Amino acid sequence: MTENRKASLFARIPAMGRKGVLAGLLLSLAILAMLGFAQEGHAEELATEEWKMVEISLTAGGMYANPYKDVDIEATFTAPDQTTMTMPGFWDGGSVWKIRFAPNQVGEWTYSTSATNPADTGLHGQTGSITVTAYSGTLESYKRGWALKPSANGRYITYSDGTPFYWLGYTRWGIFKGERYDESNDARFDSQFKGITDRNVANGYNVIQTSPFAQIPAGWCFSGEACPWKDDYFTDMNLDYWRDGDRKMDYLAQSGLIVSFNNPGFSSGYYDIAKLDDDKRITRYILARYGAYPVNWLSGTEVLWTGEYSGNVAAKTIFQEVGSYLHQLDPYERLDSNMDFWTGSPYGGTYPFFTESWFRYINNEIGHGAPVNADAWANLYNRASKPIIETEANFEKIGDNPDWYTRHAAWQSQMGGSAGFATSAQGIWYPCWTNTDTHPNCIYSGTEYAWNEALDFAVTDKQLSYMKQFMTALDWFALEPKPDAIAWTGAPTGTDAYKPGHKSNADRSLVVAYLPKRTAMYTGMLQHLVPGAAYSRQWFNPQSGVYTDLPVMQADASGTVPVPAPPSLEDWVLLVRKTAGEDSAAAGAPGTPVLSDDNGHDTGIKDGSYKVTMNMWWGNNGTVYKLYENDTLIDTQVLTARSPQAQTVSTVISGKSNGNYRYYAELTNMHGTTRSQVLEVPVTQATPSQPVLSHNNWDGGGNFQVSMNMWWGTSGTTYRLYENGVLIDTQTLTVRTPNAQSAVTAVAGRKPGVYEYRCELANEAGGTTSRTIKVTVTR
């Protein structure tokens, strides 16, 4: 019965009899709802920003013996340009199904749902629209589009809009199973999960590698771990596990991180061809639940190791079947890969790559226990036609490796052609609550470390962020392994792990070399440069992030420039660049830089997102700019010098919590370094303003709405509603600072009793909680 027919029928009933007829009508509709036929398609209007998730919640009209398996739903979304994208939905407990989608175009979208049980009109035939506006925040993942893809030349990875994406990842396999959201045993953090995440973000990591381990039945979970299933047959889901995953994925997304998602978590020992249908259903569920977050997919780990070395044919078959199935379902055409073992090493030099079109980059795993030189990756680079990311090479202190193994692997992989690097540390790659944990992943790798101890390991905490700052200050994506760019003299050669590595761009105007730790000095000669051209040379200390300028050299008639003697026997990075003619005017140290900020200029609110700008108005130019926040280096950029013209450069700051932040900048050229005055930036309104809850349960019934309003101030990006302390609703909000925000949660089927509600508004700087309200249900 349509709304118009119900209204027409009701209008014909005499006024005195309407109350009784209404009661009968409601009873009839309730009976029809129980039978699965009362709910009909309706137009729901939603709003979000580009690349931000919107969630459609549906209520089934019928009952299902096993909701996870008995019915599938999906929604087809039509974009403003009339292209379509289809996303599957997922069961979220009781009679609730959800569809999550992140529109990738600005404008008006429409959608329509379908179900494998068309008679269930609560799930089938629902329609609506989505108003999508441009993203208003500062996170690169949303500004540029988080559906990563290979570059046009297949050598590096880009955002959706084609901007090069330098991958610096951190592996945390136990986010779902082991990291604690509401607890911390370190006074510096109120949450283990948030503490690790916030430190990752502060250190420049932009990818988190994790897994839901959805292929592990209940009987295989270790004692004390969370487990995705309550049984061993993949039928009885532990929805608390998945809801905990929701809030963690939401926090990662709002922190600007992209999740490299091992979906559903296959690894050595879990490949069973007889369970392929279960594997595909799990894969569909994970795509539905998490595919609208900033993720890319790993459809298996150590596939070549399991399949080639052990002869497990099922490993390759399952990976290919699941990967192909996932690609068919996923409308975003994002990165798909697996995690290969040893493919880049000399031992893996003959293994073939997967050739399917959906296999879009090589997620490589060199392994642990010994340093290797850049040739391990260069050999892979020369064989491959896809981007390479090294994601598991000598995690810090795993197996009691010395910490420099990690730094060595990072830099050597870059010299060999990897378009980024991912790492981790013993105590975090699988989270260990204390350094006496009995979990197998905490005790098998040498000395035990707790998660909070591992956070402070020198290489993963700071030194890899220096590497990222160094690389992204250059046109890193134009660099390729070039064996003839440098002829070394006295350096290790062949397969020696301490052999130096180097790369350059096509015209040799930019050359980077990594010189590992050594026992003897060696030098060399840069080759194939422009005869007579001037080249600047700098040493970069990968342990401190500090540059040391050397005199500019002119290439001789044969186009060579000598490699200078390194400052010590520790590892160093050499940066050589062809200078611009304008730089010759610099006759001394740079002019004085001046800092300014725009905090509060746009909204009047001093929140945690702003821009710090350096201007050097007139004088000798700098070639390197560094910005320090509270005496910690947070940004390094290489500048083009055009003395005596002005120079300007900006650093985007985001996610700062309330407090006072001190900034100063340094400009450096070959003649010296000049420091700015200190700029103080107070942040007083970073977290969302306090939300206020209300309800409309005036009649005491079990169906009502709880409404949230934040009247003025800093916006939240996420709204969470708790009923009696249990999270029952999460919504992604559009940033409207300083204007009001609102959200409404429909609550249904509550039995008589008193229900307490509180909500949280969260953004990348933190969260703010409302006061608790009580709703009394009397009937």
Side-chain angles (χ1 to χ4, degrees):
M1 183 180 294
T2 66
E3 292 297 323
N4 288 338
R5 288 187 61 195
K6 285 188 285 185
S8 177
L9 175 61
F10 192 65
R12 297 193 190 104
I13 301 170
M16 293 297 293
R18 288 179 183 175
K19 188 172 183 179
V21 173
L22 177 61
L25 179 60
L26 292 176
L27 177 61
S28 299
L29 290 174
I31 293 171
L32 287 172
M34 293 174 63
L35 294 174
F37 299 104
Q39 300 185 50
E40 297 186 354
H42 67 286
E44 184 175 4
E45 296 182 1
L46 303 170
T48 189
E49 293 183 330
E50 191 177 15
W51 292 105
K52 300 282 281 186
M53 184 177 73
V54 65
E55 183 177 278
I56 301 165
S57 185
L58 305 173
T59 302
M63 301 296 291
Y64 298 92
N66 185 344
Y68 169 64
K69 288 190 172 182
D70 289 350
V71 63
D72 290 332
I73 68 168
E74 62 184 26
T76 297
F77 298 84
T78 302
D81 66 0
Q82 299 305 302
T83 58
T84 60
M85 301 174 72
T86 299
M87 278 291 284
F90 63 95
W91 173 66
D92 197 35
S95 58
V96 176
W97 270 255
K98 292 181 178 179
I99 299 171
R100 292 173 174 172
F101 179 66
N104 57 6
Q105 290 183 31
V106 171
E108 293 297 317
W109 290 69
T110 60
Y111 69 85
S112 177
T113 70
S114 62
T116 51
N117 176 17
D120 190 336
T121 55
L123 304 178
H124 187 83
Q126 299 292 316
T127 62
S129 62
I130 309 171
T131 299
V132 182
T133 54
Y135 173 64
S136 59
T138 60
L139 299 177
E140 291 293 299
S141 53
Y142 291 108
K143 285 169 60 178
R144 305 195 179 281
W146 46 250
L148 302 180
K149 62 183 183 180
S151 63
N153 67 0
R155 288 308 194 183
Y156 57 93
I157 289 170
T158 76
Y159 289 101
S160 300
D161 69 356
T163 302
F165 177 84
Y166 183 84
W167 183 304
L168 186 62
Y170 203 106
T171 295
R172 293 158 58 185
W173 290 128
I175 282 179
F176 277 67
K177 290 174 66 65
E179 290 188 16
R180 307 187 192 189
Y181 191 93
D182 297 313
E183 294 182 72
S184 172
N185 54 358
D186 186 317
R188 295 176 295 174
F189 314 103
D190 61 6
S191 161
Q192 179 193 29
F193 164 78
K194 290 182 179 179
I196 299 172
T197 300
D198 294 349
R199 183 69 72 87
N200 288 164
V201 172
N203 288 331
Y205 292 95
N206 52 11
V207 177
I208 297 300
Q209 186 163 274
T210 194
S211 172
F213 291 102
Q215 88 292 358
I216 297 180
W220 288 31
C221 291
F222 293 111
S223 176
E225 283 185 325
C227 199
W229 301 96
K230 295 180 180 179
D231 66 356
D232 291 340
Y233 306 102
F234 306 115
T235 57
D236 190 3
M237 303 192 84
N238 179 3
L239 287 172
D240 288 340
Y241 178 92
W242 297 100
R243 289 167 181 160
D244 181 62
D246 286 351
R247 61 178 178 169
K248 289 173 177 175
M249 291 290 287
D250 185 68
Y251 193 87
L252 294 172
Q254 297 310 318
S255 298
L257 294 163
I258 291 174
V259 179
S260 186
F261 209 68
N262 190 350
N263 169 39
F266 297 118
S267 61
S268 303
Y270 297 119
Y271 294 95
D272 184 349
I273 197 69
K275 296 181 179 178
L276 181 57
D277 288 342
D278 286 328
D279 298 338
K280 288 184 175 180
R281 179 161 291 279
I282 293 169
T283 296
R284 178 188 175 93
Y285 187 87
I286 292 173
L287 168 62
R289 188 149 202 146
Y290 298 118
Y293 287 101
V295 302
N296 66 269
W297 304 119
L298 294 176
S299 295
T301 58
E302 299 171 1
V303 172
L304 291 182
W305 171 256
T306 305
E308 300 292 341
Y309 282 126
S310 69
N312 185 351
V313 178
K316 261 191 166 182
T317 301
I318 290 175
F319 166 69
Q320 289 173 308
E321 289 283 341
V322 170
S324 177
Y325 178 69
L326 177 61
H327 179 70
Q328 293 170 23
L329 289 178
D330 186 2
Y332 290 98
E333 298 185 357
R334 68 188 108 201
L335 292 178
D336 291 283
S337 189
N338 72 310
M339 195 170 177
D340 275 336
F341 186 80
W342 279 106
T343 53
S345 76
Y347 306 104
T350 61
Y351 287 134
F353 299 106
F354 294 98
T355 58
E356 290 84 351
S357 61
W358 51 264
F359 184 78
R360 307 189 75 193
Y361 79 106
I362 297 168
N363 186 299
N364 195 61
E365 179 184 357
I366 284 289
H368 312 282
V372 295
N373 67 41
D375 289 348
W377 292 277
N379 293 338
L380 180 61
Y381 184 91
N382 291 331
R383 291 171 52 220
S385 59
K386 305 174 190 293
I388 302 164
I389 304 294
E390 176 55 49
T391 64
E392 189 164 330
N394 286 323
F395 286 172
E396 192 165 10
K397 297 191 186 299
I398 193 170
D400 291 331
N401 284 341
D403 57 5
W404 67 265
Y405 275 23
T406 308
R407 186 174 65 249
H408 177 102
W411 281 98
Q412 290 283 42
S413 73
Q414 304 307 286
M415 298 306 104
S418 178
F421 187 75
T423 188
S424 195
Q426 178 62 20
I428 292 181
W429 74 264
Y430 191 90
C432 305
W433 188 245
T434 68
N435 57 18
T436 58
D437 273 9
T438 58
H439 192 284
N441 287 327
C442 297
I443 63 179
Y444 91 95
S445 297
T447 303
E448 284 192 64
Y449 295 94
W451 67 277
N452 51 335
E453 294 175 308
L455 271 184
D456 297 325
F457 290 168
V459 178
T460 47
D461 182 45
K462 295 297 181 187
Q463 293 174 12
L464 296 189
S465 72
Y466 300 152
M467 182 180 75
K468 180 184 177 184
Q469 291 168 9
F470 176 92
M471 297 300 293
T472 55
L474 310 170
D475 287 341
W476 60 269
F477 45 87
L479 298 172
E480 296 187 277
K482 297 287 186 181
D484 63 343
I486 300 177
W488 297 99
T489 301
T493 60
T495 60
D496 194 310
Y498 302 93
K499 174 184 177 181
H502 54 265
K503 62 197 307 188
S504 75
N505 60 2
D507 64 4
R508 306 295 167 87
S509 61
L510 176 61
V511 182
V512 177
Y514 177 68
L515 287 68
K517 289 169 68 76
R518 65 207 75 104
T519 58
M521 288 291 188
Y522 54 80
T523 58
M525 194 70 70
L526 290 111
Q527 305 180 115
H528 309 295
L529 306 180
V530 177
Y535 289 84
S536 67
R537 302 174 302 164
Q538 293 174 298
W539 285 114
F540 177 78
N541 187 335
Q543 298 184 55
S544 66
V546 173
Y547 291 82
T548 301
D549 290 312
L550 300 170
V552 172
M553 292 286 294
Q554 188 176 34
D556 64 18
S558 60
T560 64
V561 165
V563 173
S568 72
L569 293 175
E570 291 294 309
D571 52 336
W572 289 90
V573 179
L574 178 66
L575 173 61
V576 178
R577 289 175 293 176
K578 184 175 178 291
T579 63
E582 297 93 330
D583 192 31
S584 60
T592 302
V594 177
L595 292 183
S596 61
D597 72 276
D598 64 356
N599 195 20
H601 292 186
D602 52 349
T603 63
I605 292 177
K606 293 186 178 297
D607 58 15
S609 297
Y610 48 90
K611 183 167 60 178
V612 174
T613 300
M614 182 283 297
N615 283 285
M616 194 287 295
W617 300 109
W618 181 262
N620 293 315
N621 279 192
T623 56
V624 177
Y625 152 83
K626 293 183 178 180
L627 182 69
Y628 295 80
E629 178 186 80
N630 296 340
D631 298 318
T632 298
L633 179 66
I634 64 168
D635 191 16
T636 301
Q637 298 186 40
V638 177
L639 306 180
T640 300
R642 295 184 174 86
S643 302
Q645 300 176 32
Q647 284 184 301
T648 185
V649 64
S650 295
T651 300
V652 174
I653 310 292
S654 65
K656 295 300 175 186
S657 56
N658 290 338
N660 289 314
Y661 297 86
R662 298 172 59 256
Y663 297 93
Y664 64 86
E666 291 179 345
L667 273 184
T668 299
N669 64 18
M670 68 182 67
H671 301 288
T673 298
T674 306
R675 178 180 290 190
S676 73
Q677 295 291 320
V678 172
L679 170 71
E680 293 194 2
V681 180
V683 175
T684 57
Q685 297 161 288
T687 55
S689 298
Q690 187 173 39
V692 177
L693 287 182
S694 61
H695 68 88
N696 66 351
N697 188 22
W698 314 123
D699 61 359
N703 300 329
F704 51 90
Q705 292 180 337
V706 176
S707 300
M708 180 281 296
N709 284 283
M710 189 284 294
W711 300 110
W712 188 89
T714 303
S715 289
T717 55
T718 303
Y719 154 78
R720 303 183 185 95
L721 181 68
Y722 296 83
E723 178 187 75
N724 297 337
V726 177
L727 179 67
I728 64 168
D729 190 21
T730 301
Q731 297 183 32
T732 300
L733 305 180
T734 300
V735 173
R736 303 186 187 280
T737 305
N739 299 317
Q741 285 185 301
S742 62
V744 177
T745 300
V747 180
R750 296 301 185 260
K751 297 178 180 180
V754 177
Y755 297 84
E756 292 188 348
Y757 295 92
R758 63 177 174 84
C759 76
E760 180 186 40
L761 273 187
N763 60 20
E764 55 189 336
T768 304
T769 302
S770 71
R771 293 183 177 180
T772 298
I773 66 169
K774 294 183 179 180
V775 178
T776 301
V777 176
T778 59
R779 60 184 182 84

